[in-house]
């Protein structure tokens, strides 16, 4: 992370599901133009071969995407309403479960 992104790692969680995995990383960062909510995150569900099935993140330099967005399996990027990291984390876990991996 660059200077404007340095922060404290709040959560790092990884769950393996055979040939797929889910990984959550959340940092507390200083509020800035790049991270106005004071949080940086990546919630990824993918294959061990490198395919992204779902990824939520707030990387601010993604072209043509809202600050909070979701990457899908087919390569689309969708805008996301951000009501806090906990609701987003719960949504992510629900979507992983919808793929057939019960993650409690």
């Amino acid at each position: 992370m660059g200077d404007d992104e340095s922060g404290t790692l709040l959560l790092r969680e990884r769950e393996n599901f055979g040939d797929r995995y889910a990984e959550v990383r959340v940092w507390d960062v200083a509020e800035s133009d790049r991270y106005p909510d004071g949080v940086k995150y990546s919630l990824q569900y993918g294959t061990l071969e490198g395919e992204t099935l779902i990824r939520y993140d707030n990387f601010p330099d993604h072209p043509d995407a809202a600050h909070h967005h979701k990457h899908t399996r087919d390569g689309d990027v969708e805008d996301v309403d951000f009501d806090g990291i906990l609701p987003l984390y719960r949504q992510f876990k629900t979507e992983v479960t919808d793929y057939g991996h019960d993650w409690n």
Side-chain angles (χ1 to χ4, degrees):
M1 288 191 299
D3 288 340
D4 66 333
E5 301 170 19
S6 62
T8 303
L9 185 64
L10 297 175
L11 177 63
R12 181 169 188 148
E13 183 176 1
R14 183 177 173 109
E15 187 72 31
N16 291 313
F17 306 107
D19 63 343
R20 294 182 180 181
Y21 72 95
E23 184 172 36
V24 175
R25 293 177 298 163
V26 180
W27 293 267
D28 179 32
V29 297
E31 289 183 18
S32 66
D33 289 342
R34 291 176 60 81
Y35 297 101
D37 299 297
V39 65
K40 178 183 179 202
Y41 62 86
S42 174
L43 295 79
Q44 171 133 346
Y45 175 63
T47 68
L48 296 180
E49 292 80 30
E51 180 184 7
T52 296
L53 303 174
I54 303 167
R55 183 175 72 243
Y56 288 94
D57 68 65
N58 63 338
F59 182 66
D61 298 329
H62 195 288
D64 302 320
H67 190 73
H68 299 280
H69 55 271
K70 174 185 175 182
H71 301 260
T72 64
R73 183 178 202 164
D74 58 8
D76 290 339
V77 178
E78 303 170 357
D79 296 352
V80 172
D81 291 329
F82 185 74
D83 296 320
I85 199 65
L86 186 56
L88 186 61
Y89 176 72
R90 288 177 179 148
Q91 174 64 31
F92 175 69
K93 286 185 83 168
T94 296
E95 290 182 44
V96 169
T97 300
D98 289 346
Y99 267 90
H101 293 111
D102 188 17
W103 183 22
N104 293 313

